[in-house]
Each structure stands twice: as structure tokens, then as C-alpha cells.
Amino acid sequence: MKIVWKPFWCYNVKKTEKWLQAKALQGEQLVGIKPLYRLFIFEAGNQPQAIQYHIAYHKQQHHKLSLILQRSGWGECCLRGRWYIFTNQQKTKDIYNYPVRQEIIKRNRNLFYFFTALTIYVLLTLLLFVIMSGIIVFHHGNTLTFCPVFVWHTLLVISIGLTIIGIFSTIRLYQSNKHFW
């Protein structure tokens, strides 16, 4: 068993599908996923196979694959929560029907809005802090003192972390999903 951690895999599912196909060509077969922990579980030592992967997301748990997709060669590989990974042994040119991506597009759009709002909120809070500090420095004796309390350092680290994650996620979600919007 080989476990791989991919923290932002769901932001660009096409790239993740290509990565899974490359793993199958190396002889590593996907046997499970843990979306909450961002983990992919592979079984190593298999024969290299050309497998087409398709990642789907459905709000309903226990979503069943339609008969049309089953006849096209699609089968369930892994499912966990609302995430489904389907496989097909046929060549890409022979596959005419694919599972729908509407739910992933909607989910990523909502995540994009959330991270954009989070980034704007943190940056505006930082701007307000800088403006208030400037007013205190210029109007009250040119000194600004902070009490060396651990809480301030913790809040600073959390706000910098949220800003970095927010900016990174906003950019990645926009770049990987802009052709869907």
C-alpha cells in the first residue's frame, strides 16, 4: 500500500485525473481515497494499465452510475462521501459518454467565492489595523507600543496563514476552472 497526500487535488480535477492515469501506467492501482485528509491510496506492484479516470462529485450520497455510462465501459473505482472516481479501460477515442461535472463546477465556484471573500476580509482588517496604527502614531506622540502577549503573535500568524491560503486558493480555483464559468 502506498499513500499519497495531495492537498489541493479537487481544485483541478482534470490534472488529478491525468496524474491518476500516469500512476496506473506505472503499475500503481488506485484502491481508495480519503477526501477529508486529501489522501489517495494505491496498491503497488500491479501490471501497468491504460486506465481512464473520471472524478465526479454528487450532493447525494449513494449516487448510482447510469446504464448508458455502464454500457460505455465506466465502472466505480472508489467512492467516499460525495466523491466518486470512475474508471474505464477503453481508449479515450473510443469513449463517447462521460459522467457529468456540473456538481464539481458548482462546488469549485462556491469555494472560489468563499476564498475571495475571506481574502478580502483579512486584507481589509489588516488595512484597518494599519490605518488605526498610523492615526495613533501621528496624533499621539509618534509611539506605538504593543503588549508582548502571545495572543498578538498567534493572531498575526493566523491572519498571514489565512491570507496566503486565501490568495493561493483563489488563484488556483480561478485558473483551473475559468473555462467552465
Side-chain angles (χ1 to χ4, degrees), residues 57-89:
Y57 178 84
H58 294 282
K59 285 191 175 181
Q60 324 167 350
Q61 292 182 356
H62 310 298
H63 177 77
K64 293 199 176 194
L65 198 59
S66 70
L67 288 175
I68 294 173
L69 292 174
Q70 288 176 4
R71 289 182 187 145
S72 296
W74 290 103
E76 289 182 2
C77 172
C78 303
L79 60 107
R80 177 75 117 181
R82 296 177 179 170
W83 289 99
Y84 298 83
I85 299 181
F86 301 114
T87 58
N88 197 327
Q89 300 285 340

mmCIF file of all heavy atoms in Angstrom, residues 57-89:
data_model
loop_
_atom_site.group_PDB
_atom_site.id
_atom_site.type_symbol
_atom_site.label_atom_id
_atom_site.label_comp_id
_atom_site.label_asym_id
_atom_site.label_seq_id
_atom_site.Cartn_x
_atom_site.Cartn_y
_atom_site.Cartn_z
ATOM 1 N N TYR A 57 -18.494 14.455 -8.414
ATOM 2 C CA TYR A 57 -18.938 14.894 -7.098
ATOM 3 C C TYR A 57 -20.449 15.028 -7.159
ATOM 4 O O TYR A 57 -20.978 15.648 -8.083
ATOM 5 C CB TYR A 57 -18.295 16.244 -6.766
ATOM 6 C CG TYR A 57 -18.706 16.841 -5.448
ATOM 7 C CD1 TYR A 57 -18.077 16.476 -4.276
ATOM 8 C CD2 TYR A 57 -19.722 17.778 -5.382
ATOM 9 C CE1 TYR A 57 -18.439 17.027 -3.062
ATOM 10 C CE2 TYR A 57 -20.101 18.342 -4.175
ATOM 11 C CZ TYR A 57 -19.452 17.958 -3.017
ATOM 12 O OH TYR A 57 -19.823 18.509 -1.830
ATOM 13 N N HIS A 58 -21.139 14.418 -6.215
ATOM 14 C CA HIS A 58 -22.603 14.491 -6.174
ATOM 15 C C HIS A 58 -23.043 14.802 -4.759
ATOM 16 O O HIS A 58 -22.504 14.248 -3.802
ATOM 17 C CB HIS A 58 -23.237 13.172 -6.625
ATOM 18 C CG HIS A 58 -22.990 12.861 -8.055
ATOM 19 N ND1 HIS A 58 -23.676 13.464 -9.076
ATOM 20 C CD2 HIS A 58 -22.111 12.029 -8.642
ATOM 21 C CE1 HIS A 58 -23.243 13.011 -10.223
ATOM 22 N NE2 HIS A 58 -22.284 12.136 -9.989
ATOM 23 N N LYS A 59 -24.018 15.676 -4.661
ATOM 24 C CA LYS A 59 -24.529 16.025 -3.332
ATOM 25 C C LYS A 59 -25.229 14.840 -2.682
ATOM 26 O O LYS A 59 -25.220 14.699 -1.473
ATOM 27 C CB LYS A 59 -25.471 17.220 -3.418
ATOM 28 C CG LYS A 59 -24.728 18.506 -3.631
ATOM 29 C CD LYS A 59 -25.632 19.681 -3.458
ATOM 30 C CE LYS A 59 -24.813 20.955 -3.553
ATOM 31 N NZ LYS A 59 -25.621 22.130 -3.359
ATOM 32 N N GLN A 60 -25.836 13.995 -3.492
ATOM 33 C CA GLN A 60 -26.482 12.813 -2.936
ATOM 34 C C GLN A 60 -25.415 11.752 -2.730
ATOM 35 O O GLN A 60 -24.672 11.436 -3.641
ATOM 36 C CB GLN A 60 -27.505 12.199 -3.893
ATOM 37 C CG GLN A 60 -28.299 13.095 -4.713
ATOM 38 C CD GLN A 60 -29.025 12.300 -5.808
ATOM 39 O OE1 GLN A 60 -28.782 11.137 -6.043
ATOM 40 N NE2 GLN A 60 -29.926 12.970 -6.468
ATOM 41 N N GLN A 61 -25.385 11.212 -1.551
ATOM 42 C CA GLN A 61 -24.502 10.078 -1.367
ATOM 43 C C GLN A 61 -25.213 8.865 -1.948
ATOM 44 O O GLN A 61 -26.422 8.847 -2.105
ATOM 45 C CB GLN A 61 -24.185 9.892 0.104
ATOM 46 C CG GLN A 61 -23.337 11.010 0.643
ATOM 47 C CD GLN A 61 -22.967 10.806 2.099
ATOM 48 O OE1 GLN A 61 -23.395 9.868 2.730
ATOM 49 N NE2 GLN A 61 -22.171 11.713 2.624
ATOM 50 N N HIS A 62 -24.475 7.867 -2.327
ATOM 51 C CA HIS A 62 -25.002 6.651 -2.948
ATOM 52 C C HIS A 62 -25.567 6.951 -4.336
ATOM 53 O O HIS A 62 -26.614 6.466 -4.716
ATOM 54 C CB HIS A 62 -26.068 5.970 -2.079
ATOM 55 C CG HIS A 62 -25.631 5.767 -0.671
ATOM 56 N ND1 HIS A 62 -24.561 4.975 -0.338
ATOM 57 C CD2 HIS A 62 -26.105 6.268 0.494
ATOM 58 C CE1 HIS A 62 -24.413 4.985 0.973
ATOM 59 N NE2 HIS A 62 -25.329 5.761 1.502
ATOM 60 N N HIS A 63 -24.889 7.772 -5.079
ATOM 61 C CA HIS A 63 -25.271 8.051 -6.462
ATOM 62 C C HIS A 63 -24.898 6.836 -7.307
ATOM 63 O O HIS A 63 -23.809 6.306 -7.199
ATOM 64 C CB HIS A 63 -24.536 9.296 -6.962
ATOM 65 C CG HIS A 63 -24.796 9.613 -8.382
ATOM 66 N ND1 HIS A 63 -25.974 10.201 -8.797
ATOM 67 C CD2 HIS A 63 -24.054 9.427 -9.494
ATOM 68 C CE1 HIS A 63 -25.928 10.368 -10.105
ATOM 69 N NE2 HIS A 63 -24.773 9.907 -10.540
ATOM 70 N N LYS A 64 -25.806 6.404 -8.151
ATOM 71 C CA LYS A 64 -25.545 5.233 -8.981
ATOM 72 C C LYS A 64 -25.151 5.666 -10.384
ATOM 73 O O LYS A 64 -25.648 6.651 -10.905
ATOM 74 C CB LYS A 64 -26.768 4.334 -9.033
ATOM 75 C CG LYS A 64 -27.078 3.708 -7.703
ATOM 76 C CD LYS A 64 -27.951 2.512 -7.867
ATOM 77 C CE LYS A 64 -28.126 1.879 -6.500
ATOM 78 N NZ LYS A 64 -28.663 0.578 -6.573
ATOM 79 N N LEU A 65 -24.298 4.892 -10.982
ATOM 80 C CA LEU A 65 -23.852 5.124 -12.347
ATOM 81 C C LEU A 65 -24.969 4.718 -13.300
ATOM 82 O O LEU A 65 -25.559 3.640 -13.173
ATOM 83 C CB LEU A 65 -22.596 4.298 -12.607
ATOM 84 C CG LEU A 65 -21.710 4.655 -13.755
ATOM 85 C CD1 LEU A 65 -21.201 6.090 -13.604
ATOM 86 C CD2 LEU A 65 -20.515 3.724 -13.815
ATOM 87 N N SER A 66 -25.263 5.578 -14.267
ATOM 88 C CA SER A 66 -26.369 5.294 -15.197
ATOM 89 C C SER A 66 -26.021 4.115 -16.111
ATOM 90 O O SER A 66 -24.856 3.778 -16.307
ATOM 91 C CB SER A 66 -26.690 6.532 -16.029
ATOM 92 O OG SER A 66 -25.634 6.782 -16.936
ATOM 93 N N LEU A 67 -27.054 3.522 -16.689
ATOM 94 C CA LEU A 67 -26.851 2.382 -17.582
ATOM 95 C C LEU A 67 -26.063 2.763 -18.827
ATOM 96 O O LEU A 67 -25.277 1.976 -19.332
ATOM 97 C CB LEU A 67 -28.212 1.788 -17.976
ATOM 98 C CG LEU A 67 -28.933 1.018 -16.867
ATOM 99 C CD1 LEU A 67 -30.312 0.589 -17.339
ATOM 100 C CD2 LEU A 67 -28.116 -0.181 -16.442
ATOM 101 N N ILE A 68 -26.283 3.985 -19.317
ATOM 102 C CA ILE A 68 -25.557 4.446 -20.510
ATOM 103 C C ILE A 68 -24.062 4.486 -20.235
ATOM 104 O O ILE A 68 -23.258 4.046 -21.059
ATOM 105 C CB ILE A 68 -26.075 5.830 -20.954
ATOM 106 C CG1 ILE A 68 -27.522 5.705 -21.418
ATOM 107 C CG2 ILE A 68 -25.198 6.428 -22.031
ATOM 108 C CD1 ILE A 68 -28.200 7.024 -21.711
ATOM 109 N N LEU A 69 -23.697 5.004 -19.056
ATOM 110 C CA LEU A 69 -22.284 5.064 -18.707
ATOM 111 C C LEU A 69 -21.712 3.680 -18.448
ATOM 112 O O LEU A 69 -20.563 3.398 -18.819
ATOM 113 C CB LEU A 69 -22.075 5.967 -17.481
ATOM 114 C CG LEU A 69 -22.351 7.448 -17.712
ATOM 115 C CD1 LEU A 69 -22.262 8.214 -16.405
ATOM 116 C CD2 LEU A 69 -21.395 8.029 -18.725
ATOM 117 N N GLN A 70 -22.500 2.794 -17.864
ATOM 118 C CA GLN A 70 -22.034 1.424 -17.641
ATOM 119 C C GLN A 70 -21.794 0.718 -18.973
ATOM 120 O O GLN A 70 -20.821 -0.012 -19.134
ATOM 121 C CB GLN A 70 -23.045 0.648 -16.802
ATOM 122 C CG GLN A 70 -23.081 1.087 -15.366
ATOM 123 C CD GLN A 70 -24.154 0.365 -14.562
ATOM 124 O OE1 GLN A 70 -24.846 -0.527 -15.071
ATOM 125 N NE2 GLN A 70 -24.309 0.753 -13.306
ATOM 126 N N ARG A 71 -22.672 0.953 -19.932
ATOM 127 C CA ARG A 71 -22.504 0.344 -21.264
ATOM 128 C C ARG A 71 -21.312 0.933 -22.005
ATOM 129 O O ARG A 71 -20.748 0.302 -22.883
ATOM 130 C CB ARG A 71 -23.774 0.520 -22.090
ATOM 131 C CG ARG A 71 -24.905 -0.338 -21.605
ATOM 132 C CD ARG A 71 -26.135 -0.181 -22.458
ATOM 133 N NE ARG A 71 -27.261 -0.902 -21.866
ATOM 134 C CZ ARG A 71 -28.505 -0.499 -21.918
ATOM 135 N NH1 ARG A 71 -28.818 0.616 -22.561
ATOM 136 N NH2 ARG A 71 -29.446 -1.210 -21.356
ATOM 137 N N SER A 72 -20.942 2.165 -21.650
ATOM 138 C CA SER A 72 -19.776 2.798 -22.269
ATOM 139 C C SER A 72 -18.473 2.320 -21.647
ATOM 140 O O SER A 72 -17.400 2.740 -22.068
ATOM 141 C CB SER A 72 -19.856 4.323 -22.124
ATOM 142 O OG SER A 72 -20.966 4.831 -22.821
ATOM 143 N N GLY A 73 -18.564 1.471 -20.628
ATOM 144 C CA GLY A 73 -17.365 0.902 -20.025
ATOM 145 C C GLY A 73 -16.955 1.511 -18.700
ATOM 146 O O GLY A 73 -15.938 1.126 -18.134
ATOM 147 N N TRP A 74 -17.726 2.449 -18.187
ATOM 148 C CA TRP A 74 -17.382 3.091 -16.916
ATOM 149 C C TRP A 74 -17.778 2.192 -15.754
ATOM 150 O O TRP A 74 -18.825 1.563 -15.769
ATOM 151 C CB TRP A 74 -18.075 4.447 -16.768
ATOM 152 C CG TRP A 74 -17.540 5.480 -17.690
ATOM 153 C CD1 TRP A 74 -18.128 5.922 -18.836
ATOM 154 C CD2 TRP A 74 -16.310 6.174 -17.583
ATOM 155 N NE1 TRP A 74 -17.339 6.855 -19.441
ATOM 156 C CE2 TRP A 74 -16.210 7.036 -18.686
ATOM 157 C CE3 TRP A 74 -15.280 6.161 -16.650
ATOM 158 C CZ2 TRP A 74 -15.109 7.864 -18.879
ATOM 159 C CZ3 TRP A 74 -14.185 6.998 -16.847
ATOM 160 C CH2 TRP A 74 -14.111 7.830 -17.957
ATOM 161 N N GLY A 75 -16.925 2.167 -14.755
ATOM 162 C CA GLY A 75 -17.207 1.423 -13.535
ATOM 163 C C GLY A 75 -16.704 2.204 -12.335
ATOM 164 O O GLY A 75 -15.832 3.066 -12.456
ATOM 165 N N GLU A 76 -17.260 1.893 -11.173
ATOM 166 C CA GLU A 76 -16.847 2.597 -9.958
ATOM 167 C C GLU A 76 -15.515 2.041 -9.481
ATOM 168 O O GLU A 76 -15.350 0.849 -9.323
ATOM 169 C CB GLU A 76 -17.888 2.445 -8.860
ATOM 170 C CG GLU A 76 -19.152 3.217 -9.120
ATOM 171 C CD GLU A 76 -20.166 3.097 -7.991
ATOM 172 O OE1 GLU A 76 -19.866 2.443 -6.977
ATOM 173 O OE2 GLU A 76 -21.259 3.666 -8.132
ATOM 174 N N CYS A 77 -14.597 2.936 -9.209
ATOM 175 C CA CYS A 77 -13.302 2.557 -8.657
ATOM 176 C C CYS A 77 -13.297 2.824 -7.157
ATOM 177 O O CYS A 77 -13.017 1.935 -6.371
ATOM 178 C CB CYS A 77 -12.193 3.344 -9.348
ATOM 179 S SG CYS A 77 -10.571 3.143 -8.612
ATOM 180 N N CYS A 78 -13.597 4.053 -6.799
ATOM 181 C CA CYS A 78 -13.596 4.466 -5.389
ATOM 182 C C CYS A 78 -14.749 5.421 -5.158
ATOM 183 O O CYS A 78 -15.075 6.225 -6.021
ATOM 184 C CB CYS A 78 -12.311 5.204 -5.035
ATOM 185 S SG CYS A 78 -10.819 4.298 -5.338
ATOM 186 N N LEU A 79 -15.327 5.324 -4.011
ATOM 187 C CA LEU A 79 -16.293 6.336 -3.620
ATOM 188 C C LEU A 79 -16.150 6.556 -2.129
ATOM 189 O O LEU A 79 -15.948 5.638 -1.359
ATOM 190 C CB LEU A 79 -17.726 5.942 -3.984
ATOM 191 C CG LEU A 79 -18.312 4.677 -3.388
ATOM 192 C CD1 LEU A 79 -19.339 5.064 -2.329
ATOM 193 C CD2 LEU A 79 -18.984 3.896 -4.488
ATOM 194 N N ARG A 80 -16.207 7.814 -1.762
ATOM 195 C CA ARG A 80 -16.090 8.181 -0.359
ATOM 196 C C ARG A 80 -16.859 9.468 -0.153
ATOM 197 O O ARG A 80 -16.549 10.476 -0.775
ATOM 198 C CB ARG A 80 -14.641 8.361 0.016
ATOM 199 C CG ARG A 80 -14.433 8.809 1.427
ATOM 200 C CD ARG A 80 -14.648 7.687 2.388
ATOM 201 N NE ARG A 80 -13.386 7.460 3.050
ATOM 202 C CZ ARG A 80 -13.177 6.552 3.927
ATOM 203 N NH1 ARG A 80 -14.138 5.747 4.271
ATOM 204 N NH2 ARG A 80 -12.028 6.403 4.480
ATOM 205 N N GLY A 81 -17.879 9.405 0.663
ATOM 206 C CA GLY A 81 -18.706 10.583 0.900
ATOM 207 C C GLY A 81 -19.411 10.977 -0.383
ATOM 208 O O GLY A 81 -20.164 10.202 -0.964
ATOM 209 N N ARG A 82 -19.121 12.166 -0.850
ATOM 210 C CA ARG A 82 -19.751 12.675 -2.075
ATOM 211 C C ARG A 82 -18.835 12.591 -3.289
ATOM 212 O O ARG A 82 -19.198 13.016 -4.369
ATOM 213 C CB ARG A 82 -20.184 14.117 -1.845
ATOM 214 C CG ARG A 82 -21.239 14.214 -0.774
ATOM 215 C CD ARG A 82 -21.597 15.622 -0.496
ATOM 216 N NE ARG A 82 -22.631 15.652 0.533
ATOM 217 C CZ ARG A 82 -23.040 16.724 1.140
ATOM 218 N NH1 ARG A 82 -22.506 17.889 0.839
ATOM 219 N NH2 ARG A 82 -23.966 16.669 2.050
ATOM 220 N N TRP A 83 -17.632 12.083 -3.102
ATOM 221 C CA TRP A 83 -16.658 11.981 -4.188
ATOM 222 C C TRP A 83 -16.693 10.586 -4.800
ATOM 223 O O TRP A 83 -16.724 9.595 -4.092
ATOM 224 C CB TRP A 83 -15.256 12.285 -3.678
ATOM 225 C CG TRP A 83 -15.072 13.718 -3.344
ATOM 226 C CD1 TRP A 83 -15.125 14.285 -2.115
ATOM 227 C CD2 TRP A 83 -14.804 14.776 -4.256
ATOM 228 N NE1 TRP A 83 -14.906 15.633 -2.199
ATOM 229 C CE2 TRP A 83 -14.709 15.967 -3.511
ATOM 230 C CE3 TRP A 83 -14.641 14.847 -5.634
ATOM 231 C CZ2 TRP A 83 -14.458 17.193 -4.085
ATOM 232 C CZ3 TRP A 83 -14.388 16.067 -6.209
ATOM 233 C CH2 TRP A 83 -14.293 17.222 -5.443
ATOM 234 N N TYR A 84 -16.667 10.558 -6.130
ATOM 235 C CA TYR A 84 -16.692 9.302 -6.875
ATOM 236 C C TYR A 84 -15.558 9.331 -7.888
ATOM 237 O O TYR A 84 -15.337 10.341 -8.549
ATOM 238 C CB TYR A 84 -18.007 9.140 -7.643
ATOM 239 C CG TYR A 84 -19.216 9.077 -6.749
ATOM 240 C CD1 TYR A 84 -19.812 10.230 -6.259
ATOM 241 C CD2 TYR A 84 -19.763 7.861 -6.400
ATOM 242 C CE1 TYR A 84 -20.919 10.182 -5.440
ATOM 243 C CE2 TYR A 84 -20.874 7.790 -5.578
ATOM 244 C CZ TYR A 84 -21.447 8.951 -5.109
ATOM 245 O OH TYR A 84 -22.537 8.891 -4.287
ATOM 246 N N ILE A 85 -14.865 8.218 -8.009
ATOM 247 C CA ILE A 85 -13.859 8.079 -9.051
ATOM 248 C C ILE A 85 -14.254 6.881 -9.900
ATOM 249 O O ILE A 85 -14.378 5.766 -9.402
ATOM 250 C CB ILE A 85 -12.442 7.913 -8.473
ATOM 251 C CG1 ILE A 85 -12.088 9.147 -7.653
ATOM 252 C CG2 ILE A 85 -11.439 7.698 -9.602
ATOM 253 C CD1 ILE A 85 -10.719 9.120 -7.040
ATOM 254 N N PHE A 86 -14.474 7.160 -11.182
ATOM 255 C CA PHE A 86 -14.879 6.137 -12.133
ATOM 256 C C PHE A 86 -13.690 5.785 -13.021
ATOM 257 O O PHE A 86 -12.829 6.624 -13.291
ATOM 258 C CB PHE A 86 -16.036 6.631 -13.002
ATOM 259 C CG PHE A 86 -17.252 7.029 -12.213
ATOM 260 C CD1 PHE A 86 -17.681 8.338 -12.185
ATOM 261 C CD2 PHE A 86 -17.970 6.090 -11.498
ATOM 262 C CE1 PHE A 86 -18.798 8.714 -11.473
ATOM 263 C CE2 PHE A 86 -19.099 6.445 -10.776
ATOM 264 C CZ PHE A 86 -19.511 7.763 -10.753
ATOM 265 N N THR A 87 -13.657 4.551 -13.496
ATOM 266 C CA THR A 87 -12.595 4.105 -14.389
ATOM 267 C C THR A 87 -13.186 3.514 -15.655
ATOM 268 O O THR A 87 -14.329 3.059 -15.670
ATOM 269 C CB THR A 87 -11.709 3.029 -13.723
ATOM 270 O OG1 THR A 87 -12.528 1.922 -13.342
ATOM 271 C CG2 THR A 87 -10.995 3.576 -12.504
ATOM 272 N N ASN A 88 -12.371 3.566 -16.684
ATOM 273 C CA ASN A 88 -12.752 2.986 -17.965
ATOM 274 C C ASN A 88 -11.488 2.416 -18.584
ATOM 275 O O ASN A 88 -10.457 3.091 -18.643
ATOM 276 C CB ASN A 88 -13.369 4.049 -18.878
ATOM 277 C CG ASN A 88 -14.141 3.443 -20.015
ATOM 278 O OD1 ASN A 88 -13.788 2.382 -20.515
ATOM 279 N ND2 ASN A 88 -15.190 4.117 -20.440
ATOM 280 N N GLN A 89 -11.549 1.188 -19.065
ATOM 281 C CA GLN A 89 -10.391 0.507 -19.655
ATOM 282 C C GLN A 89 -10.233 0.824 -21.143
ATOM 283 O O GLN A 89 -9.208 0.499 -21.727
ATOM 284 C CB GLN A 89 -10.527 -1.007 -19.470
ATOM 285 C CG GLN A 89 -10.598 -1.458 -18.037
ATOM 286 C CD GLN A 89 -9.254 -1.421 -17.333
ATOM 287 O OE1 GLN A 89 -8.213 -1.420 -17.963
ATOM 288 N NE2 GLN A 89 -9.295 -1.382 -16.018
#
